[in-house]
Amino acid sequence: MPKTIFTRRLFLAAIPASAVVAVAAVRGDGAMYVGGTLKNIPEKTEGELDASDEAAAKFTSKKGDVAIEYAKIETIEYGQKAGRRVGVALVISPVALFSKKRKHYVTIGFVDADGKKQGAVFEVAKGRVRALLNTLETRSGKKIEYESDDAKKHVGN
């Protein structure tokens, strides 16, 4: 078999693995603290955002934790960011430029235990967004603000 055909087959066989790595996002029950004013958790920290407690939503990770009391939440915002996967397109195929990857962001504005205003942006797994937003809205009594009509339509509220 000529070397170019073998190399091409090897490259094509590697495509599915690199495509999976490139499109990975927060999955399952996962969440990521993207950023905000929290000092005890580094940006882009993966963990779990749990809203099952009656008094507070809790983000836990290996690098830090925070409990956000529902009664102290001032704002809840939801938005999506659709980013073109340019890296995948350059490695694999220009066709990948036409695919989109949606990320789901929940921003919570709240007052901490010291009375200081805080803000935290979390990327939430696709399957958890709707339930999380419903719980936050119900328990905090605050209406969710949507970045766009498309974002509102996506979660069905």
Side-chain angles (χ1 to χ4, degrees), residues 125-137:
K126 178 182 179 179
R128 295 269 336 264
V129 173
R130 184 173 289 139
L132 176 66
L133 290 173
N134 287 336
T135 301
L136 290 173
E137 187 173 54

Side-chain angles (χ1 to χ4, degrees), residues 108-141:
I108 303 172
F110 64 101
V111 177
D112 68 12
D114 297 327
K116 294 181 182 175
K117 290 187 182 241
Q118 302 288 341
V121 179
F122 298 98
E123 180 183 344
V124 181
K126 178 182 179 179
R128 295 269 336 264
V129 173
R130 184 173 289 139
L132 176 66
L133 290 173
N134 287 336
T135 301
L136 290 173
E137 187 173 54
T138 300
R139 293 190 172 153
S140 71

Side-chain angles (χ1 to χ4, degrees), residues 16-29:
S18 52
V20 169
V21 170
V23 299
V26 175
R27 294 185 187 163
D29 290 338

Side-chain angles (χ1 to χ4, degrees), residues 42-60:
E43 291 182 358
K44 298 184 181 176
T45 296
E46 291 191 36
E48 185 176 330
L49 184 57
D50 180 10
S52 64
D53 186 90
E54 295 285 325
K58 297 174 183 174
F59 178 76
T60 54

Side-chain angles (χ1 to χ4, degrees), residues 39-46 59-65:
K39 303 275 190 239
N40 65 322
I41 305 174
E43 291 182 358
K44 298 184 181 176
T45 296
E46 291 191 36
F59 178 76
T60 54
S61 73
K62 293 178 182 175
K63 298 180 181 179
D65 306 323

Side-chain angles (χ1 to χ4, degrees), residues 71-140:
K72 295 190 175 187
I73 291 177
E74 295 184 332
T75 60
I76 307 166
E77 299 175 18
Y78 170 74
Q80 295 176 332
K81 182 179 179 182
R84 301 275 182 201
R85 293 189 292 249
V86 177
V88 175
L90 294 175
V91 174
I92 298 172
S93 163
V95 174
L97 279 173
F98 299 104
S99 65
K100 291 184 180 182
K101 178 168 83 173
R102 292 200 184 273
K103 294 184 179 183
H104 307 274
Y105 295 100
V106 176
T107 304
I108 303 172
F110 64 101
V111 177
D112 68 12
D114 297 327
K116 294 181 182 175
K117 290 187 182 241
Q118 302 288 341
V121 179
F122 298 98
E123 180 183 344
V124 181
K126 178 182 179 179
R128 295 269 336 264
V129 173
R130 184 173 289 139
L132 176 66
L133 290 173
N134 287 336
T135 301
L136 290 173
E137 187 173 54
T138 300
R139 293 190 172 153
S140 71

